[in-house]
Amino acid sequence: MSDAGLSARVATPRRSIFETLELDVRLLGMLMAFAAVAVVFTIWTGGTFVSPRNVFNIAVQTVPVAIMACGMVFVIVARNIDLSVGSMLAMCSAIMAMSQTHWLPSVFGTEYGNPAILLATVLIGLAAGTAMGSITGWLVGYQRIPSFIVTLGGLFVWRNVNWFTTNGQSVSLTDPNLLMFGGTEGVLGAPASWSLGIAASTLAVWAIVASRRNKQSHGFTVKPVWAETVMAGLIVGVILLFVGWLSRYPIPEAKLKRLFAASGQTMPEGYTAMHGLPISVLILILVAVAMTLIARKSRLGRYIFAAGGNPDAAELSGINTRLLTVKIFALMGFLCGLAALIAQARLQSHGNDIGMLEELRVIAAAVIGGTALAGGIGTIYGAVLGALIMQSLQSGMAMVGVDTPFQNIVVGLVLIIAVWVDILYRKRLGLSK
Amino acid sequence: MTDNRTPLVEMRDISISFGGIKAVDHVSIDLHPGEVVGLLGHNGAGKSTLIKILAGAYKADHGEILINGERVEIDNPRDARDLNIETIYQTLALADNLDAASNLFLGRELLRRGFVDDAKMEAETRKIMSRLNPNFRKFNVPVSALSGGQRQSVAIARAVYFNARILIMDEPTAALGPHETQMVAELIQELKAQGLGIFLIEHDIHNVMKLCDRASVMKNGELVGTVNVNEVTDDDILSMIILGKQPAHLAA
């Protein structure tokens, strides 16, 4: 708290270390849960769980759900729900698969794999997602049909329009430029990853300093310098650890030889290269940062939270809440398109069941991440962390040989327990009755 | 009152119905600068509905609104705000999950390089609050953590900050204790002295006698009459509310 009047009060000695750091207790809880999952599986698997290779895989597998969960936070904060995201993902994926392999090549007479076609495909896919989201938003915002109903309908409709789009067939995708978005096939390598990590760290430190200066310029008391330093240190540490760890995952020798052969060269003896940051994870990070900026620092975000806290107040304050609903769902649709691109690139094909049941994972990620279904409360980083916790659990259980049905049982229980703990915590703080 | 100046607000012959029920039936009221006009009547008499038409929350089926003698169209709350009409609602139109500054500037955020400038907004909120409610300290918590009086001062601060000329207050003291009620009463006097026109919806007859210059009484959607408060007694006004008739000595 940076309350000027507060410093004079006697209550100051009882401030805990977390209050001084202004650390969100809920975030802290999630980080601890994540750490617990990591420690348990690391011990259980004898260290394999935290190997660069497995960290890389978990990161890559988390991306589509995490991207959509960012959009779901806004949807739920504004007191709506979107059950159709899995089907919208499938629909976007179908459109992109068909346009790059059939439609665009036949219209322009070019070969599959032409970069221009891929670019057009990506734009078409994102536009399709945005359009589908806008339709949902219009039905919810302007026609006042409950979002649960609209998107439950959408779940059936888009899933099956998807089926007709491809005639029920899987489409195999081999364009190397597309596969770059999938993970293993599109990595930045160690040097570029390190540079990005250092750039991101610099940016984070700059942001902390700038925010502190702005507060000081208005005469507010700010956190002690040591607290700011600790926070900055933690953030920089996490960024560099993550980047550094992924930069220790070597690309297999056979694959390197193939890559050299493809460009007509022979691989020098003893050559090695590391994976580094996958492009898909970079996209997720950019989405999360952009969505956080929208949530915290833009009018749009402020209005979304206001509408979730008190829809009447938002309306009476002159906010066009109907158009706001359209924007929220359009953004959700756009992110479904982006997630579809990454999902199909990772699977290297479009199948009918792509994104099946993904809506439930997305909602679960947002809710585990602290988004309240009653609206008004939620964070982007929470949703990403929620997706990461679920994926880690599942990946860890798979590694130690837990059967798939039991994995899903655990994930379901974790969802319930996460919300339960949150309710108990809020009761104890007196935040709710 | 023989006042020949152009009224600040004139609502002429306003009607609105909801599903066949006439909530407001051909009602005309006016308001002058530096004047407090009380709106009275039972629950469901149509006071809040009438005032919501002026605030842009509802659109009248019939009638016209004049501000400073000029006809205006008020289609939504934004139009009302553009005309410097600010409303403090009975239900306290605050978003509970946001802090005081975010609520004060809701819909009119201060920007810095395209992003909302929270520090600037908090500084401005502190400035206005030091004037309205010097004991206000809770700037960094959601307004759900505030008391009724503190919440009311946020709502009032919003109206005052944006230089309202016409202020609509829908039972501003309903949720408040005696001390906070006194604070709001003093504030109304101060705003009045600054030349604002205030419509005050009020149930407490003593507050009406104390704060208002004129009182318009409604019953079943119709205007019973408008009286100068210093020419009548509480009983006269009460009988207007209950019987729906002008007192005999004024009706002549």
Side-chain angles (χ1 to χ4, degrees), chain A residues 3 297 299 303 310 318 376, chain B residues 78 94 97 109 116 118 137:
Chain A
D3 194 316
K297 288 283 161 194
R299 281 192 166 161
Y303 295 168
N310 185 345
Chain B
R78 269 159 288 163
L94 300 178
N97 54 337
E109 288 74 10
V116 293
D118 286 309
R137 287 277 180 277

Side-chain angles (χ1 to χ4, degrees), chain A residues 201-255:
Chain A
S201 306
T202 317
L203 202 66
V205 171
W206 174 82
I208 289 172
V209 172
S211 145
R212 187 184 170 86
R213 289 235 172 98
N214 192 20
K215 277 187 185 167
Q216 277 173 328
S217 75
H218 291 289
F220 302 161
T221 37
V222 286
K223 281 187 271 185
V225 175
W226 70 263
E228 301 267 26
T229 315
V230 168
M231 278 310 287
L234 280 176
I235 293 169
V236 169
V238 168
I239 293 174
L240 294 183
L241 184 68
F242 181 62
V243 167
W245 207 246
L246 293 182
S247 296
R248 293 186 52 188
Y249 175 28
I251 299 175
E253 206 182 314
K255 190 171 164 189

Side-chain angles (χ1 to χ4, degrees), chain A residues 154-176:
Chain A
L155 184 150
F156 290 111
V157 171
W158 300 127
R159 174 63 61 189
N160 292 288
V161 176
N162 152 53
W163 193 93
F164 278 108
T165 310
T166 60
N167 275 321
Q169 288 168 339
S170 293
V171 182
S172 165
L173 303 167
T174 53
D175 178 358

